Amino acid sequence: DVKVTQSSRYLVKRTGEKVFLECVQDMDHENMFWYRQDPGLGLRLIYFSYDVKMKEKGDIPEGYSVSREKKERFSLILESASTNQTSMYLCASSFSDRAEQFFGPGTRLTVL
Amino acid sequence: GNSVTQMEGPVTLSEEAFLTINCTYTATGYPSLFWYVQYPGEGLQLLLKATKADDKGSNKGFEATYRKETTSFHLEKGSVQVSDSAVYFCALEPNTGNQFYFGTGTSLTVIP
């Protein structure tokens, strides 16, 4: 079974802090994704990566950056956390284009 | 552009009732269509998919048929159980690129 793990289930940070969310997949998938999930808005794509060191902006990249130094790991970085970044963050991976995405359990981030 | 519109929730049904969750999409070309389910406290998991017109995806008693003429992919189940209580997301992946587009989700509660 594909496994996508995220470093924390719950995280509480203060405004202005730098926040790292880590995601690891164990199935040698090419593509990895970061979404945020908010009530009434569904899932919105922040960034995705189709290869090591490659990244593409999604629909809402402002205030976020990403890093993919190894194929299995995709990190989301909040350079200076703000209260409007309080959300559920979901990581996903897929083997290739037009393939199923596998999701991690999510990290619920609260920024105070 | 690409987008997914799904039925507003929440939906509350009694056990053994018939379920329909509507999903319509806008896309260029021939997208793949998906239904994902999110159980409380978990990430999303694939429920079923269809990759071309008239395909029927099915899993765990759920079905959805890819209708190109009506640009729809409605989710149905003949007899819901309490364990089906979850949030259901309709999604599409265009035939170019690897970005998914998700609907806003429909919350289903099944009462005994």
Side-chain angles (χ1 to χ4, degrees), chain B residues 81-102:
Chain B
Q81 306 301 313
V82 172
S83 57
D84 294 326
S85 298
V87 181
Y88 293 82
F89 291 90
C90 185
L92 73 82
E93 186 187 27
N95 62 347
T96 56
N98 52 18
Q99 182 173 344
F100 272 47
Y101 296 84
F102 286 87

Side-chain angles (χ1 to χ4, degrees), chain B:
Chain B
N2 298 295
S3 67
V4 174
T5 302
Q6 60 179 109
M7 176 176 156
E8 296 266 342
V11 174
T12 302
L13 293 173
S14 297
E15 207 165 21
E16 299 184 3
F18 184 85
L19 169 71
T20 300
I21 301 178
N22 291 337
C23 172
T24 56
Y25 68 90
T26 302
T28 51
Y30 300 91
S32 293
L33 301 174
F34 303 81
W35 276 101
Y36 279 81
V37 59
Q38 184 179 32
Y39 297 104
E42 298 182 13
L44 278 70
Q45 53 186 274
L46 180 68
L47 181 59
L48 52 85
K49 67 179 181 182
T51 57
K52 60 182 188 296
D54 300 324
D55 266 4
K56 178 186 280 188
S58 61
N59 186 26
K60 299 181 181 179
F62 291 89
E63 292 183 341
T65 301
Y66 188 141
R67 302 281 188 206
K68 189 163 176 60
E69 63 276 13
T70 55
T71 62
S72 65
F73 192 55
H74 305 321
L75 183 68
E76 296 182 337
K77 186 175 186 183
S79 176
V80 294
Q81 306 301 313
V82 172
S83 57
D84 294 326
S85 298
V87 181
Y88 293 82
F89 291 90
C90 185
L92 73 82
E93 186 187 27
N95 62 347
T96 56
N98 52 18
Q99 182 173 344
F100 272 47
Y101 296 84
F102 286 87
T104 54
T106 301
S107 174
L108 170 68
T109 301
V110 180
I111 54 177

